[in-house]
Structure formats: structure tokens, C-alpha cells
Amino acid sequence: MTRSDAAEHDQPDSLHLRQGPTALALSPGQGGAIIGWHHGGTSLMRTVQPGPDGTVSVRQLASYPLIPFSNRIAHGQFSFEGQSYTLPRDTRETRHAMHGNALLAPWEIDRASPAEALLRLASSPNRPDLLAFPFAYGATQLYRAQDDGFEIEISIRNQDRRAMPAGMGHHLYFPRLPGVRVRFAAAAMWESDQEALPALRTDAWRSRLEAGLGDLDSVNFDNCFEGWAGQAWLDYPEQGYRIRIEASPLFGHAVFFTPPGKDFFAFEPVSHLNNAINQPDGPQAHGLKILEPDEAVSGWIRLIHEAL
């Protein structure tokens, strides 16, 4: 990473990993999030998006963890094992709880080397500096810089005395550059209702996305795809490269997000359907895990740079 590149992406506590042409900048103090990824002199993820006052929140970075759940929980309410719970609603999506609490937490640097960093979080219901979540859990993010990209290994462990629902993912943002095409295979897409919650399972977009979808300005996705095959390709032919996304089987879902009028889009490998905890056929049917005390689950996501 050049000095100018580093200045563009640095935050006060930034941590830099390097391996060959790969440079990865992280923000342990802001959710253990990704600030930026460079291959040589090329920035491959969304650049930092400062707010109107010049500050940068975690949700303006290149990616952040979705722990202990992904996307929305309807109205911040759910029932689990006979008890009802209410979560704080999101400050942006004020109808629902959103994206868990790990992205808003400072993560501890457990260990770091030039190409690898293990970040750790301990969340408990009575921790005053965290958004409330009613179960105690521990989570880790292990980042590994590699010659052709990087890998994130994510884990969550139930540190409570009772079972807990658990899910995970990463909110990966990419630049919406001219000519970009997105390809991936999934069994079905969930269409959303007026509250942006999954309402109808359909395969209407399946063939088009498998063939490759360009002109992202003409579509408006904010949808979860189930039965994701664990690979996606983001082709940038005018820039001469491709980003290949791979994930372990835990991440059997993916959220595709193309907000109108923005210069970025998101592809989010996740373990479960949006609002899985409130699905009538049960959360486990839609990828959410039920962890017994001291039980853990983990998975990995890999991003690879390829020349075209």
C-alpha cells in the first residue's frame, strides 16, 4: 500500500496486513471491520464514505461483521424457548433490529503478525458499551492476507448458561464501476414485503444471475438468496480484473444489495435468512444455528483477485 493509499483508508486504530501485492487495512476499534483492500495500487472494495461531519462510522467502511445475526429482526422482537425478547431498533432502519451488535463493538487484538490478525469480542447482556443482546457470547475474526487476496475465519461461541440463537456473515461492499457484472448461483431468492422482510420465495432471477448481471443501476436488490452455492464472481472487464468470493458451507445464504443512486453495491455471505428467528417453520430451517452452552460454530470467507 502506498502512503497515499494508506492515508485514504487509515482510521486512528487501523491495523495493516500485507502479503505480496495484498494490503488489508482493519479497524479493530470499529467492529473489527475492513477499512480497505488493495492489490498493488488498485483499491478493490468500497472506499471509506465519511459522513456530513467528516467522521466515519463502521457502516461507512468496506465491510463489517454481522454477528450474532444478519440483516433484520422484525420490529426487534422474537420469542425463543418460551421467552419473548426485544432488541434495540436500528438507528437507520428504525422499524427493525439490524445486523447484530458486534459491528458496533471494539474488538481486542488477540494476536497479530505482518500477514495475520486474530480479533476477539466478548459480548454480554450487561456490558454497558455494547448494544444490548440478551445472550452472552464470544466471537473471533481471523484475517489472513494472501498473495491473491485474503480470508476471514469467523466463529461464535455460546458463553451463556442457556441455549442461544446464532448467525453470522460479513457485509462486503464493492465499487459500482462501469461494466461490472455479478454472477452467482442460488436455489431461490426471497422477495421482500413493504417492511423489507422476506415474504415470497422465487426463482425468477436465478438464470439471469447465473449468466451474469450487468447494469446494476437498472436493478434494485435488497434480497436474501438461499441455497447459495458458495461462490460469486464480480467481473470488472474495463479495469482488467475479477473478484472471486468463496465461502464455507455454513454460509448457505447471501444478501445482494444494489442501492439506487449509490456508487457501490454489496454481496454478503451469511449463514441464514433475514428474520430467520421469526419464520413460522422455525429458524433452523433457514440457516440460523441453536448453540448449547459452550458450543461454537465457525466458517470462512475468501476473496480472491484474478486478472482478466
Side-chain angles (χ1 to χ4, degrees):
M1 182 182 290
T2 66
R3 239 185 125 68
S4 61
D5 289 335
E8 176 190 355
H9 293 283
D10 266 349
Q11 298 298 300
D13 71 337
S14 59
L15 176 65
H16 293 270
L17 305 181
R18 293 176 172 83
Q19 177 65 42
T22 296
L24 188 66
L26 309 175
S27 182
Q30 289 183 291
I34 300 172
I35 302 170
W37 169 32
H38 282 67
H39 182 88
T42 303
S43 177
L44 299 178
M45 299 187 76
R46 178 180 76 168
T47 56
V48 169
Q49 307 277 315
D53 60 356
T55 62
V56 176
S57 78
V58 65
R59 285 168 69 168
Q60 294 159 326
L61 298 180
S63 189
Y64 44 81
L66 306 171
I67 301 171
F69 62 88
S70 163
N71 207 271
R72 295 164 176 84
I73 292 180
H75 311 297
Q77 298 179 335
F78 67 96
S79 295
F80 180 70
E81 295 196 338
Q83 182 156 345
S84 296
Y85 298 94
T86 299
L87 303 178
R89 297 191 185 191
D90 188 63
T91 56
R92 297 184 183 184
E93 168 56 288
T94 56
R95 298 169 294 182
H96 310 301
M98 189 92 167
H99 291 337
N101 67 346
L103 76 160
L104 301 174
W107 287 59
E108 175 188 349
I109 302 173
D110 185 275
R111 67 173 189 267
S113 65
E116 185 174 296
L118 176 63
L119 309 182
R120 189 176 299 277
L121 171 67
S123 175
S124 63
N126 57 2
R127 183 170 162 175
D129 61 336
L130 290 187
L131 197 66
F133 186 73
F135 301 90
Y137 71 86
T140 61
Q141 296 182 87
L142 176 58
Y143 287 95
R144 297 186 183 96
Q146 299 167 336
D147 286 334
D148 57 356
F150 69 95
E151 181 178 284
I152 319 165
E153 184 177 331
I154 310 170
S155 73
I156 182 170
R157 180 178 296 276
N158 182 358
Q159 295 181 333
D160 216 300
R161 296 182 177 180
R162 51 206 170 133
M164 67 169 284
M168 65 178 72
H170 232 275
H171 204 304
L172 305 168
Y173 284 103
F174 300 95
R176 193 185 301 197
L177 299 178
V180 63
R181 293 182 65 83
V182 177
R183 293 184 291 131
F184 65 93
M189 181 186 83
W190 281 84
E191 293 184 354
S192 300
D193 62 17
Q194 292 183 340
E195 292 204 85
L197 298 170
L200 178 66
R201 187 180 184 273
T202 176
D203 61 0
W205 284 91
R206 182 172 178 176
S207 59
R208 189 170 174 189
L209 286 165
E210 288 179 357
L213 180 68
D215 190 16
L216 299 188
D217 291 334
S218 69
V219 294
N220 182 12
F221 284 100
D222 187 3
N223 302 87
C224 189
F225 291 79
E226 71 176 28
W228 177 47
Q231 287 193 315
W233 295 266
L234 316 180
D235 292 344
Y236 290 87
E238 296 186 24
Q239 292 74 32
Y241 68 86
R242 167 188 298 134
I243 295 171
R244 178 158 49 95
I245 303 171
E246 300 178 343
S248 62
L250 175 73
F251 299 102
H253 296 70
V255 175
F256 186 34
F257 178 43
T258 61
K262 300 295 185 180
D263 62 357
F264 57 81
F265 66 96
F267 188 88
E268 310 161 41
V270 296
S271 60
H272 61 276
L273 179 67
N274 311 349
N275 198 34
I277 190 68
N278 288 314
Q279 294 304 306
D281 52 348
Q284 291 169 290
H286 298 280
L288 200 67
K289 303 300 182 184
I290 307 301
L291 300 182
E292 297 299 324
D294 202 40
E295 186 179 4
V297 65
S298 65
W300 53 263
I301 302 167
R302 187 175 298 129
L303 280 74
I304 300 163
H305 171 276
E306 298 176 335
L308 291 177

